[in-house]
Amino acid sequence: MEPEFSVIIPTYNRAATLFRAIESVINQTYPAKEILVMDDGSSDNTREVVEGFPQVRYFYQENAGVSTARNKGAEIATGDWLIFLDSDDELMNHTLEKFSNSIKANPTSKVFRCGLILVKNDKEYSYFLSTEIFVGQIPGSFAISKTFFQALGGYDQDLKFGENTELFFRVGWSGEVSIHLEELGLRYFQQGSGASSNLKNVTEALQLILAKHDSLLNKRVKRLYNQILGVNYLRFRQFAEARKFLLKAYLLNPMKIDTLGRCLISLIPVLARRLYTPIPEKK
């Protein structure tokens, strides 16, 4: 049986780039069964952009976050395979064909991942899964069985950062081994305005992931997350909290002297203020 793809494009006030994301799916050498645009409460002309593409299904929701939009799209989708594409990125024109061929060659597998081209400051960098594990955690660079995605519980809607990484933690813990395509399938435009640029979201999400998966995360990930949290709290000027997370990170790997150094810095607020840029107040 030929794989049927539902391409789900969540969007929020990105009318200026949405059209190219949609066109990248329409121009596939292997056609998608459907394209679903999940509008997460946009106040720009997103609806008008989508109306220019009669083959696209449009759904609107009050702003609830990208994970909620993706999960709703997955519920509505009629294809047996899901591809989540951010509205400022593009699939390469052969992506669905490559996924389809690999799915037919590996009929028992449930997750397929490809490489990507990172576009940053008008320069392009190619990344393949053999050298960059994070590639498969970027929406648009993986296809996942709809039934498997739903069995995993979909995206964690409480997360405003790291939701793809957290999803792939659960993929790995399920015992599913992803199939890696030695193909570039996505043009990923790195933006400075996403969730990763909001340290409050990062901080809240990492704490949620640590609490949710404490018994499953390995020491390396726990140390990394605790260290990030410690540094973030240094920038928040919450030195006791910073010290708590940095000490946890250090105890997870006492060989990391840099973590111990940061922990000691947290004891000297005057020095910490000089070394760590504060988080600017939102206007």
Side-chain angles (χ1 to χ4, degrees):
M1 190 173 77
E2 294 294 318
E4 295 182 331
F5 295 98
S6 293
V7 180
I8 299 166
I9 307 177
T11 190
Y12 177 68
N13 287 339
R14 280 183 173 165
T17 60
L18 176 60
F19 74 94
R20 79 177 182 212
I22 294 173
E23 286 184 339
S24 78
V25 184
I26 292 173
N27 293 332
Q28 290 294 301
T29 56
Y30 180 99
K33 180 179 184 182
E34 61 187 354
I35 305 170
L36 309 177
V37 170
M38 312 304 297
D39 187 347
D40 187 33
S42 296
S43 57
D44 62 4
N45 62 323
T46 289
R47 183 187 294 269
E48 287 75 12
V49 169
V50 178
E51 287 174 349
F53 298 94
Q55 60 272 68
V56 176
R57 301 173 67 193
Y58 173 84
F59 299 90
Y60 179 90
Q61 67 178 30
E62 294 298 325
N63 184 252
V66 66
S67 293
T68 300
R70 290 180 184 137
N71 285 346
K72 183 176 179 181
E75 290 175 11
I76 296 168
T78 60
D80 49 359
W81 290 90
L82 307 177
I83 293 179
F84 301 98
L85 176 65
D86 285 348
S87 56
D88 56 346
D89 296 330
E90 303 173 0
L91 295 181
M92 301 181 77
N93 65 358
H94 59 255
T95 301
L96 296 190
E97 181 180 358
K98 298 298 184 181
F99 276 136
S100 175
N101 291 340
S102 192
I103 289 168
K104 288 185 286 187
N106 301 276
T108 62
S109 296
K110 302 179 181 69
V111 183
F112 295 79
R113 303 161 70 178
C114 66
L116 61 81
I117 295 175
L118 170 65
V119 183
K120 181 178 180 181
N121 298 326
D122 297 324
K123 294 183 179 180
E124 296 188 351
Y125 310 87
S126 297
Y127 292 95
F128 291 92
L129 281 159
S130 58
T131 56
E132 297 292 339
I133 195 67
F134 78 91
V135 169
Q137 299 161 10
I138 301 293
S141 70
F142 63 88
I144 186 168
S145 156
K146 175 178 176 176
T147 55
F148 181 55
F149 176 79
Q150 292 180 318
L152 288 172
Y155 280 99
D156 186 330
Q157 295 178 181
D158 291 329
L159 296 176
K160 296 180 181 179
F161 168 82
E163 71 281 354
N164 291 287
T165 298
E166 193 273 341
L167 174 66
F168 269 86
F169 282 153
R170 287 182 278 131
V171 169
W173 294 328
S174 76
E176 178 66 22
V177 178
S178 303
I179 299 296
H180 297 180
L181 283 66
E182 289 300 318
E183 303 281 352
L184 294 169
L186 175 72
R187 285 174 59 83
Y188 169 60
F189 293 81
Q190 190 172 78
Q191 306 291 339
S193 58
S196 60
S197 66
N198 186 327
L199 289 193
K200 183 175 183 294
N201 287 344
V202 173
T203 301
E204 291 176 352
L206 294 185
Q207 289 180 262
L208 283 170
I209 293 171
L210 285 169
K212 179 179 179 180
H213 299 305
D214 179 68
S215 63
L216 295 171
L217 291 170
N218 62 41
K219 284 188 176 182
R220 182 185 64 82
V221 172
K222 286 183 179 181
R223 188 201 73 82
L224 174 63
Y225 282 10
N226 276 288
Q227 177 154 282
I228 293 171
L229 287 167
V231 171
N232 285 358
Y233 276 111
L234 285 174
R235 297 187 64 193
F236 288 136
R237 304 311 193 219
Q238 297 181 35
F239 301 116
E241 283 294 291
R243 188 158 52 254
K244 178 179 75 174
F245 287 107
L246 289 168
L247 181 58
K248 286 182 181 179
Y250 175 67
L251 293 175
L252 285 163
N253 188 347
M255 299 300 292
K256 295 291 184 178
I257 303 302
D258 59 328
T259 305
L260 177 60
R262 291 186 177 95
C263 192
L264 294 174
I265 288 170
S266 71
L267 292 166
I268 312 170
V270 173
L271 181 59
R273 292 176 188 276
R274 293 186 63 181
L275 295 177
Y276 290 92
T277 307
I279 303 298
E281 293 290 332
K282 285 190 173 182
K283 295 182 179 180

